[in-house]
Amino acid sequence: MLGVAEIEQLPVSQARAGDAGAWDALFRRFQLPLYVYVFELVRDEQTSLDIVQETFINAARHIGSLRNDAKFGSWLFGIAHQKCIQRWRKQAREEMLREEFSNISDELETGPDELLIRQEEEAEFMNLLDQLPAPQKSVLLLYFMEDFSLEEIAGITGVSVGTVKSRLHYAKKSLRQLVIDTEDKNRSPRHSEENP
Amino acid sequence: MKTPREILLERHRAAAPKLDAIRRKALAAQQPEPSSPPFSLGNFLWSIRWHLAGMSAVWLVIALISLNSGRGSQMVAAIPSAKIPSPEVILASLRENHRRLSQMIDGPTTDADRQKNFTPKPHSERCNETFFA
C-alpha cells in the first residue's frame, strides 16, 4: 500500500539542483507533520520549532546523502528523529531496557487511515498518546502521520524492523479502547445507530 | 470521525505561522552570500596589520644584530697588520704548546722523539701530496 509521501510527486530532483521554489514546496509539505512529530516527542513548542528549523537546514545542506528521491520524507523525519534523540536519549534508553519483545505477526491489523476516532474521544486519544513511552509514541506517530512502512520507520528510528513491530503493536494495543476498526464498524451498523 | 493524522494536524495547526517563518529562514540560509566588496589595498593592509607588525619587529631585530656584528668586523679590521703574528710564529707556538702538554702527560721527551711525533711538512709539499694521492 502506497503511503502518503509516496503517492505525491515531490520536487526532490529540482531541489537537488538548487531550485529555491522546489525547496519551498518540500518544506511547506512537511513542516506541519514534522512539527507534530517533534512536538509530541519533546513536548516543548520552542524546542520543536528549533528542531524543525535545524532539520530543514541540515536537509538542504546534505541533500547529496539522500540516495532515493522517493524516500525524501522518511529521510527528513530521520534527521528530525536524531535531533529528538539528543533531547531525550536517557529516557529512551531506559524505555528500551524495559521493553519485552514478542512474536508479532507480519500483518498489521489495519492501516492508519482505517482507524477512526470519534470526535468526543479525540481528547482522550491525545491523552493516551501522551502517556505512551517515547519509543512507542515515536513509532506510532510516524505510522499515523506519514504512513511510513516498517522498514522506513526502522530506518528513521535506527532500530530493527522487529523492534518497530513490537513497539507499534503495544502502542496500538494501548489505544485499542478508543480506536474503531472500520471492519468492526461495518459489521454492525445497526448497533452503532441504536447506541450512539 | 477523524483519523489520528487529522486529529494531530488539527491540534497543531495554530503553529502554522511560526512554521512559515522557520521555512523562510531555512530558505534564506540556503541563499549564497552576497559578493564581497571589490579589492582595496588599504583594507587588505589593514586586515594583515598584525602580520606586518610582527614581521617588521623581526626584521628590526635582524638589522640590529647585523649592525652589531658589523661593528665587530670593523674592530677586527682596525687592528694593525703588524700585530697579527705570522704563520711561522703561530706554528712555533703550537709546537711549544704540544711539547709542554707531552711533558705534562708523558714526562720529559727528547727533541728527537718530539720530531718523530709531530713534523708537519711544508704547505707546498702537502698540497702536492693531495694532488697526486
Side-chain angles (χ1 to χ4, degrees):
Chain A
M1 185 177 89
L2 289 177
V4 174
E6 289 175 337
I7 293 172
E8 55 196 328
Q9 296 292 329
L10 299 174
V12 181
S13 57
Q14 294 93 315
R16 282 182 189 273
D19 185 350
W23 278 114
D24 184 70
L26 288 171
F27 290 163
R28 194 186 295 267
R29 161 65 180 84
F30 286 105
Q31 64 182 31
L32 189 55
L34 202 63
Y35 173 78
V36 169
Y37 175 69
V38 171
F39 183 91
E40 294 299 327
L41 292 179
V42 300
R43 307 300 297 172
D44 180 78
E45 181 184 2
Q46 191 53 52
T47 304
S48 304
L49 291 170
D50 292 342
I51 288 177
V52 169
Q53 183 172 349
E54 289 171 17
T55 301
F56 283 167
I57 291 175
N58 278 9
R61 281 185 189 158
H62 301 106
I63 186 66
S65 67
L66 174 63
R67 297 174 191 173
N68 184 355
D69 289 1
K71 303 297 181 185
F72 179 84
S74 59
W75 177 73
L76 195 69
F77 273 77
I79 296 173
H81 181 84
Q82 290 303 316
K83 295 195 178 292
C84 292
I85 281 183
Q86 295 170 7
R87 309 283 178 166
W88 45 265
R89 188 189 298 269
K90 184 171 179 296
Q91 178 187 355
R93 205 174 286 138
E94 290 173 352
E95 295 294 341
M96 282 171 63
L97 290 174
R98 288 201 293 269
E99 273 189 5
E100 295 178 3
F101 295 96
S102 61
N103 293 327
I104 308 298
S105 67
D106 289 339
E107 296 179 4
L108 294 174
E109 296 159 7
T110 51
D113 289 340
E114 296 169 354
L115 302 175
L116 300 174
I117 300 171
R118 295 194 194 94
Q119 185 177 0
E120 58 270 22
E121 290 174 336
E122 288 179 13
E124 187 62 25
F125 164 74
M126 292 305 305
N127 187 39
L128 283 176
L129 184 65
D130 290 343
Q131 292 176 19
L132 284 176
Q136 291 181 20
K137 190 194 298 185
S138 167
V139 167
L140 198 66
L141 284 169
L142 291 170
Y143 182 69
F144 281 151
M145 292 303 301
E146 293 291 326
D147 190 23
F148 288 125
S149 66
L150 295 181
E151 289 75 19
E152 286 180 306
I153 295 175
I156 291 169
T157 56
V159 298
S160 66
V161 174
T163 305
V164 171
K165 284 182 191 173
S166 171
R167 291 179 183 176
L168 199 55
H169 172 77
Y170 285 111
K172 290 168 74 174
K173 188 178 175 182
S174 65
L175 297 176
R176 193 163 291 158
Q177 293 179 354
L178 288 182
V179 170
I180 299 173
D181 194 300
T182 52
E183 290 181 0
D184 291 339
K185 176 174 169 290
N186 292 333
R187 264 191 231 120
S188 58
R190 289 184 185 175
H191 177 78
S192 64
E193 288 174 4
E194 292 172 1
N195 300 288
Chain B
M1 285 187 286
K2 298 175 186 173
T3 62
R5 184 174 193 269
E6 289 168 343
I7 293 171
L8 287 163
L9 289 177
E10 195 174 310
R11 177 185 170 98
H12 295 284
R13 207 167 290 279
K18 295 181 183 177
L19 290 171
D20 288 338
I22 283 173
R23 189 180 76 248
R24 284 190 288 270
K25 282 184 193 175
L27 288 170
Q30 284 184 265
Q31 297 302 320
E33 293 180 2
S35 59
S36 54
F39 176 76
S40 163
L41 182 61
N43 288 340
F44 174 70
L45 291 175
W46 180 252
S47 66
I48 62 170
R49 60 190 184 279
W50 295 117
H51 300 82
L52 292 175
M55 288 172 62
S56 301
V58 169
W59 280 112
L60 193 62
V61 168
I62 293 173
L64 286 173
I65 292 173
S66 65
L67 276 175
N68 284 336
S69 62
R71 225 176 272 136
S73 63
Q74 287 174 4
M75 286 167 65
V76 169
I79 299 173
S81 58
K83 291 197 175 178
I84 301 174
S86 65
E88 291 79 12
V89 172
I90 294 173
L91 192 59
S93 67
L94 282 174
R95 285 179 187 169
E96 181 61 25
N97 287 338
H98 179 77
R99 184 186 67 78
R100 289 180 184 177
L101 278 173
S102 299
Q103 280 180 352
M104 288 169 62
I105 296 170
D106 300 326
T109 56
T110 61
D111 286 344
D113 290 335
R114 185 163 42 83
Q115 285 189 0
K116 267 189 200 173
N117 292 334
F118 181 66
T119 51
K121 293 182 182 176
H123 185 264
S124 57
E125 290 184 13
R126 277 186 275 130
C127 284
N128 290 336
E129 283 181 0
T130 304
F131 285 133
F132 296 111

